[in-house]
Amino acid sequence: MARLNLLEETRYEKLPVTVYPDQQTASVAVAGRIAALIRTKQAAGEPTVLGLATGVTPIQVYAELIRLHKEEGLSFKGVITFNLDEYYPMKPDAAQSYVTFMNENLFDHIDIDKSLVHIPDGTLPQDEVAAFCLAYEKQIEELGGLDLQILGIGRTGHIGFNEPGSAPNSGTRLVTLDDLTRNDASRDFGGKQNVPTKAITMGVGTIFKAREIILMAWSAKKAPIVRKAVEGEISGEVPATFLQLSDNVEFVLDKDAASGLTRFDTPWLVSDCVWDNSLKKKAVIWLSTAVGKPILKLTEEDYNNHGMAQLAVEQGPVYQINIDIFNQVQHTITGWPGGKPGADDSQRPERAEPARKRSIIFSPHPDDDVISMGGTFIRLVDQGHDVHVAYQTSGNTAVWDDDVLRYMEFAIDFKQSVGEDTARLQGIYEDMRKFIDQKLPNQVDTPEIRDVKGFIRKTEAISGARFAGLPDSNIHFQALPFYETGKTKKNSVGEEDVRLTMELLQKVKPQQVFTAGDFADPHGTHVVCFNIVIEALRRLRKTEAWVNDCWVWMYRGAWQEFPTYEIEMAVPLSPAEVLRKRNAIFKHQSQKDRPVFPGDDAREFWVRAEDRNRETAQSYDKLGMAEYAAMEAFVRYHY
């Protein structure tokens, strides 16, 4: 989509924004700017004073700086750094400390003088923190201030740990962390209860004094807060909005983080557009929602009053546009997710033939299949398709330690009941209890504990798949190696992950692949597993003819749902089918009531799934479609 006047299309944006196609490209660009600054200052015989950030956002920037050092001779001699923040209290050698983070992700791999590195001290007695903060500020001032400050942005709008309520002239200080911030950090600490409640942070006023400020944000998860920071009113409730007052700031975003900005989300409100079908569909559905009318009741006045006069003039009359989009949305609805045998499929989302398809549902965690598409899963089986499910990871980090002991106690009691010796099992159990009693936050479990946690998830997954109607021969456990670290931080994808996936695909030769397209998953496992499946299919396509007839459908549900305008297949569920799906989810007892890593949504997974499926059905109903109890949504991925 080409848009015209840049000044016009960015008129809602209150500070400079640069958008890159992806995180990697953006990170390389930011690292290049840092490197250019360092080289310029070195040539002038001056030190470079950098303000550095932690968290996921800058990791690829630091990786590129390391590459520039090792491969292109970038030296960090004479570079002075000040980190934004540190948890309090926090020991510098703790796995979660920002000292550890900076050493692992940057300092240990470059030639920086560690005596020129400054990170807030999380070990100080509280009565010494205020004096430390004043000294931290003074050190920066004596060096003439920060040349460049890089920032991320939290979902509360915090920069550094300047949470909502922070003042624009605030200095370095001890702060109390927002509940959402602690929730986002919970996975790193093995649970929210282990996340410190306080932190030492540079203030907004300190950040403001930097001669250049770059705020980076990646992924759709950050899109809502980015929009508030860039287009919203200045408010202490969103501290990042204070950056609108700076003449030296730039937001650097990937396209997903920028997707909520007006020029990308509703471009018709800011400039003329090239109205391809996808934009037209998005705009008409948006208009229907904005005015609260079904699609077929939208009028020319509605179009004119909501920035869509150009569409009405170029492709009208508007009633014809309404009919076109209504039909497109209606044609996404099908009760036959595997295709309806013998039917005209020209207006259906799936092919009619072959009448009995081979389908694989790839489930990143052992419960994503039933949580996200349990109704469709059951429908495919009921309609006679050859359905397989592949559990890509063991999910063994997401089981409570208490459950391990409970299952071990059951195993010991069972062995005793059949007259078998339990001495060895009892010894393992006692070792487990001792380990768990002394276990530190996010400490890697013993192999025996990891095995039991994996067995718990495996038996639950088998129970859920059997409930959906699968024979045991169609239930596959991949336990992809990238996941099996025992840590919340996983390894990079390796050849073995792709090979195992290719092997299973070649064995089944599916006409349909269902895979998780829920990239808002806060743990990152979904997108990793998705990329493995796509890479496997792309490699197989080079030699295997069957891949050309294999369609990939993405599902969501555990963390978010597809927006209505993106949905290409909507499978309606009756009240009875909703109940069957709920019962399949209930088979995952270790994830019920209170999962180990729930994200920021306090609802149980079955409640989340039902609410989202009901909301999808309601959105279709409001557009003027038939009223259903629930709907599961899918988008086709073209690889």
Side-chain angles (χ1 to χ4, degrees):
M1 177 183 64
R3 289 179 299 279
L4 308 176
N5 190 320
L6 181 62
L7 210 60
E8 181 68 13
E9 74 175 21
T10 60
R11 63 189 169 95
Y12 284 90
E13 297 169 21
K14 300 175 181 178
L15 42 72
V17 175
T18 304
V19 181
Y20 290 89
D22 54 63
Q23 175 183 345
Q24 178 63 27
T25 306
S27 297
V28 168
V30 172
R33 289 168 64 173
I34 295 171
L37 172 65
I38 292 171
R39 286 172 170 141
T40 299
K41 300 281 279 187
Q42 286 172 340
E46 300 173 357
T48 307
V49 186
L50 299 177
L52 300 181
T54 51
V56 174
T57 302
I59 285 178
Q60 290 191 27
V61 174
Y62 296 153
E64 175 64 9
L65 288 174
I66 293 168
R67 189 197 69 79
L68 289 169
H69 168 66
K70 292 184 175 179
E71 298 180 13
E72 298 186 23
L74 175 65
S75 175
F76 289 81
K77 291 186 185 301
V79 173
I80 304 168
T81 67
F82 289 86
N83 262 74
L84 275 169
D85 41 32
E86 176 60 284
Y87 290 107
Y88 182 86
M90 179 60 64
K91 295 178 180 178
D93 59 352
Q96 299 84 4
S97 83
Y98 288 161
V99 174
T100 298
F101 176 94
M102 291 305 304
N103 286 335
E104 290 182 349
N105 288 284
L106 183 61
F107 297 148
D108 285 349
H109 309 284
I110 58 177
D111 61 343
I112 196 166
D113 181 347
K114 292 284 187 76
S115 70
L116 301 180
V117 167
H118 303 84
I119 299 175
D121 187 349
T123 67
L124 294 170
Q126 191 159 341
D127 61 1
E128 296 180 17
V129 171
F132 172 85
C133 292
L134 286 173
Y136 205 73
E137 293 269 339
K138 188 176 180 181
Q139 284 179 297
I140 296 172
E141 289 174 10
E142 288 175 347
L143 289 163
L146 299 170
D147 292 308
L148 171 62
Q149 174 68 63
I150 63 171
L151 301 171
I153 183 171
R155 288 191 297 148
T156 63
H158 69 244
I159 48 176
F161 275 133
N162 292 284
E163 298 283 18
S166 296
N169 61 347
S170 56
T172 303
R173 67 205 188 283
L174 185 67
V175 297
T176 299
L177 298 178
D178 186 271
D179 191 66
L180 180 56
T181 299
R182 293 183 65 233
N183 208 59
D184 283 348
S186 63
R187 191 167 179 85
D188 292 333
F189 284 84
K192 182 179 172 182
Q193 70 278 6
N194 299 317
V195 181
T197 59
K198 297 184 182 300
I200 299 172
T201 184
M202 276 190 206
V204 178
T206 315
I207 293 167
F208 248 70
K209 294 173 186 175
R211 281 179 281 283
E212 186 178 4
I213 303 168
I214 297 175
L215 185 148
M216 303 175 294
W218 325 129
S219 85
K221 187 167 65 173
K222 294 293 178 72
I225 197 63
V226 164
R227 178 166 180 159
K228 287 183 181 179
V230 173
E231 298 185 356
E233 296 299 318
I234 296 173
S235 167
E237 290 304 303
V238 183
T241 57
F242 291 133
L243 295 174
Q244 295 174 18
L245 300 170
S246 173
D247 295 327
N248 307 313
V249 68
E250 178 184 353
F251 276 43
V252 174
L253 312 172
D254 68 1
K255 63 181 176 59
D256 292 331
S259 62
L261 298 178
T262 300
R263 60 169 151 146
F264 298 108
D265 186 36
T266 51
W268 51 88
L269 296 179
V270 292
S271 68
D272 287 347
C273 302
V274 176
W275 290 100
D276 60 20
N277 185 69
S278 62
L279 184 62
K280 180 170 70 172
K281 183 179 179 183
K282 179 180 182 179
V284 171
I285 290 173
W286 171 86
L287 180 61
S288 173
T289 303
V291 301
K293 292 181 182 180
I295 290 173
L296 294 179
K297 290 186 178 180
L298 295 174
T299 65
E300 189 164 1
E301 184 179 14
D302 294 326
Y303 278 67
N304 292 339
N305 290 344
H306 291 81
M308 293 167 56
Q310 181 203 2
L311 175 60
V313 169
E314 290 183 2
Q315 300 193 25
V318 299
Y319 189 65
Q320 196 57 50
I321 298 173
N322 295 345
I323 290 173
D324 178 27
I325 300 303
F326 177 88
N327 286 337
Q328 288 186 44
V329 175
Q330 188 177 52
H331 292 155
T332 66
I333 303 171
T334 181
W336 299 84
K340 187 173 184 180
D344 175 10
D345 59 11
S346 59
Q347 302 295 331
R348 291 178 174 273
E350 249 296 357
R351 303 148 292 175
E353 302 300 330
R356 184 174 186 265
K357 291 184 175 64
R358 294 182 300 277
S359 304
I360 295 184
I361 299 168
F362 282 98
S363 182
H365 302 100
D367 55 356
D368 288 314
D369 54 338
V370 290
I371 290 173
S372 298
M373 57 169 291
T376 302
F377 186 169
I378 293 169
R379 182 78 64 85
L380 287 165
V381 175
D382 286 351
Q383 291 176 348
H385 299 286
D386 180 19
V387 181
H388 295 249
V389 63
Y391 299 105
Q392 293 172 277
T393 72
S394 67
N396 61 9
T397 60
V399 177
W400 294 106
D401 293 337
D402 289 349
D403 283 343
V404 173
L405 300 180
R406 185 162 59 89
Y407 276 84
M408 285 295 292
E409 288 156 4
F410 172 88
I412 291 167
D413 286 345
F414 180 75
K415 288 197 78 172
Q416 287 176 337
S417 73
V418 296
E420 291 191 14
D421 180 58
T422 62
R424 185 162 184 272
L425 201 57
Q426 188 74 40
I428 295 171
Y429 168 76
E430 294 299 335
D431 289 343
M432 286 179 171
R433 288 200 66 165
K434 289 177 186 175
F435 175 85
I436 289 170
D437 286 343
Q438 300 170 7
K439 185 177 175 183
L440 299 173
N442 260 14
Q443 184 176 351
V444 176
D445 287 323
T446 64
E448 293 82 6
I449 291 175
R450 294 206 302 272
D451 283 345
V452 173
K453 289 182 175 181
F455 298 152
I456 291 170
R457 302 292 315 260
K458 181 176 182 179
T459 56
E460 291 172 347
I462 291 171
S463 181
R466 285 175 180 166
F467 183 86
L470 286 198
D472 289 1
S473 59
N474 286 23
I475 304 172
H476 310 276
F477 291 91
Q478 294 188 287
L480 294 178
F482 85 89
Y483 186 93
E484 298 303 314
T485 63
K487 307 174 185 177
T488 54
K489 185 177 181 179
K490 306 306 180 186
N491 290 331
S492 299
V493 171
E495 278 298 309
E496 185 68 2
D497 300 301
V498 178
R499 187 193 67 77
L500 289 168
T501 303
M502 291 175 66
E503 193 175 85
L504 178 60
L505 286 164
Q506 181 66 5
K507 177 182 177 182
V508 177
K509 294 184 174 61
Q511 285 95 14
Q512 282 185 315
V513 165
F514 292 89
T515 185
D518 199 348
F519 305 147
D521 161 33
H523 315 141
T525 304
H526 283 205
V527 68
V528 172
C529 288
F530 173 83
N531 288 335
I532 291 170
V533 172
I534 298 305
E535 176 63 20
L537 284 167
R538 284 173 176 159
R539 292 189 190 183
L540 285 167
R541 186 167 56 188
K542 296 175 182 177
T543 58
E544 304 298 322
W546 62 265
V547 181
N548 295 320
D549 296 319
C550 179
W551 287 16
V552 173
W553 290 101
M554 298 186 296
Y555 61 78
R556 289 183 180 172
W559 307 104
Q560 63 174 201
E561 190 52 273
F562 294 108
T564 309
Y565 64 87
E566 288 186 4
I567 296 172
E568 295 180 75
M569 180 163 68
V571 180
L573 307 180
S574 69
E577 288 172 316
V578 171
L579 186 59
R580 288 179 71 187
K581 173 176 176 172
R582 182 192 303 176
N583 288 332
I585 296 172
F586 281 176
K587 301 299 181 184
H588 295 268
Q589 286 292 311
S590 69
Q591 305 304 298
K592 199 178 176 314
D593 301 326
R594 189 170 60 98
V596 177
F597 300 114
D600 62 336
D601 191 333
R603 295 173 296 175
E604 289 192 48
F605 284 121
W606 70 271
V607 178
R608 299 185 204 185
E610 288 189 15
D611 286 350
R612 292 195 175 105
N613 294 161
R614 181 173 58 253
E615 288 161 6
T616 300
Q618 289 171 346
S619 69
Y620 268 68
D621 178 35
K622 290 174 182 176
L623 295 176
M625 308 297 145
E627 185 175 359
Y628 293 101
M631 281 181 164
E632 291 178 339
F634 302 86
V635 170
R636 190 176 167 200
Y637 184 82
H638 298 271
Y639 57 98

